[in-house]
Amino acid sequence: MNKIKMTTPLVEMDGDEMTRILWAGIKEKLLLPFVDLNTEYYDLGLTNRDRTDDRVTIDAANAIKKYGVGVKCATITPNAQRVEEYKLKEMWKSPNGTIRAILDGTVFRAPVVVKGISPSVSTWKKPITIARHAYGDIYKNTEMRVDAGSKAELVVTDPNGNERRQTIHDFTGGGVVMGMHNTDASIASFARSCFNYALSVGQDLWFSTKDTISKTYDHRFKDIFVEIFEAEYKTAFEKAGIEYFYTLIDDAVARVIRSQGGFIWACKNYDGDVMSDMIATAFGSLAMMTSVLVSPDGKYEYEAAHGTVTRHYYRHLKGEPTSTNSVATIFAWSGALRKRAELDGLNDLKAFSDRLEQATLGTIESGIMTNDLVSLSSLPQKRGVGSMEFLDAVAQRIAEI
Ligand code: NAP
Ligand code: MG
């Protein structure tokens, strides 16, 4: 059989623990037999990050900047216990944080929807993608407890030394006070990432804040979005037959619940934190959530939303069988290959990405699934299988389609 050719390298970032095992299995069983894989490989496994003083993470992020598309395996973000376990030189920063800082991107999380596993919200037929602004607001705040009788003020000093001062509150009793910020540049990057991603997947974009209450802060978000939309994206949206739509966060929540899905919901940092967990849980399982980092200049990094599944890995090391769900990692690969195919005009690679996804969903819909899905699935005939057994079943289907 002739393998499918690639023209531009895909940036491949290997990772840790159980997902590293799945990564190798996916390549061996689902990709290499069909595609003449052209990847530039970066080993982001913790051992190699430590060996390279984390240089490898920075190199990988720069490679995504150069080539435009990357696919990443889940990685350990070290804590004190990991420093001990891996005898690390330092408590290296989260690779996702490092990559996001270099690409200046926004993370889009979308569930993989499969027959037999119905969302808790019965009207939802298509995935809902959450885009979370990942900078500022309460995540970069300053806050204090305040004693009775205190006066809290907001003071801003401009570059010429001029002060602006507003009273926040005169406290008769004790209380709390908080200061937070965002920047026009970060909000604009967020907006462009959202508009690019909506065009890339051909879905409507919703954006919601609380600008009726926060008439300056949240209103700034609303203004920046609409200004960029009108100036840079309106025509492209019309051509693609999709819509940009702004509404209040509480109205958005009500509409989301009544909707059939199939759109992107952009949220401020805190709203996105909360709503993404709600959406993920309502769609079924963290193991079925995919994640794409999109930069404002249109670079893409695909991955699974879950971690390295440490508990399963320790079982694997003891030689015990595992049943770890590889769906989100498979969809990270199919998403990255499809994007590469679109950018390079490779129709057979695009068709293969579709085939890989169809075979994965078809396997689950035929009743073969990992144990985490068995309890969620309403199929009458279903069978929980091991991590590699699932990949073998998908491989067989790819060959049959
Ligand atoms: P996790 O790896 O997502 O796993 C938490 C639990 O969720 C698992 O023990 C398992 O439950 C279930 N689960 C998650 N993914 C699954 C899958 N694919 N198939 C079946 N079950 C799955 O989160 P964690 O244990 O909190 O974190 C482990 C490591 O991952 C940490 O070192 C963390 O730093 C890292 N992490 C990395 C990323 C990333 O690279 N994007 C994201 C999050 C966490 P049961 O054990 O009950 O089966
Ligand atoms: Mg959260």
Side-chain angles (χ1 to χ4, degrees), residues 141-215:
N141 72 356
T142 355
E143 47 185 22
M144 288 181 211
R145 291 268 305 262
V146 175
D147 293 334
S150 305
K151 179 190 191 69
E153 290 178 296
L154 189 62
V155 182
V156 175
T157 313
D158 76 13
N160 303 318
N162 303 316
E163 265 185 16
R164 277 189 298 159
R165 193 175 280 268
Q166 272 180 37
T167 302
I168 298 170
H169 193 63
D170 285 306
F171 287 85
T172 48
V176 281
V177 67
M178 174 197 285
M180 61 181 197
H181 79 282
N182 223 298
T183 68
D184 288 357
S186 176
I187 300 166
S189 286
F190 175 48
R192 289 197 176 89
S193 297
C194 290
F195 293 130
N196 284 337
Y197 189 70
L199 284 171
S200 150
V201 294
Q203 290 182 354
D204 290 348
L205 176 68
W206 300 13
F207 179 47
S208 56
T209 73
K210 193 69 180 176
D211 69 294
T212 47
I213 298 297
S214 171
K215 289 188 167 62

Side-chain angles (χ1 to χ4, degrees), residues 61-135:
N62 286 326
I64 301 174
K65 267 192 154 170
K66 177 175 169 194
Y67 294 115
V69 190
V71 60
K72 181 179 166 290
C73 178
T75 46
I76 293 169
T77 298
N79 53 17
Q81 183 251 318
R82 298 296 199 167
V83 172
E84 182 56 30
E85 182 184 354
Y86 283 81
K87 307 276 175 258
L88 300 179
K89 295 183 215 163
E90 253 182 63
M91 198 185 292
W92 304 110
K93 280 192 267 180
S94 146
N96 291 51
T98 302
I99 296 168
R100 196 163 63 210
I102 292 173
L103 294 179
D104 181 26
T106 296
V107 173
F108 296 80
R109 288 174 111 203
V112 175
V113 175
V114 59
K115 282 194 204 89
I117 299 173
S118 18
S120 313
V121 179
S122 56
T123 50
W124 291 355
K125 303 285 177 255
K126 286 176 259 174
I128 295 169
T129 302
I130 289 259
R132 172 183 171 188
H133 185 211
Y135 177 81

Side-chain angles (χ1 to χ4, degrees), residues 350-363:
K350 190 169 186 298
F352 173 78
S353 312
D354 297 340
R355 199 143 61 101
L356 176 57
E357 291 181 359
Q358 275 169 33
T360 306
L361 298 178
T363 301

Side-chain angles (χ1 to χ4, degrees), residues 109 130 132 271-283 286 289:
R109 288 174 111 203
I130 289 259
R132 172 183 171 188
D271 299 339
D273 186 356
V274 176
M275 293 306 166
S276 65
D277 281 4
M278 188 272 288
I279 298 277
T281 309
F283 269 102
L286 183 60
M289 285 298 282

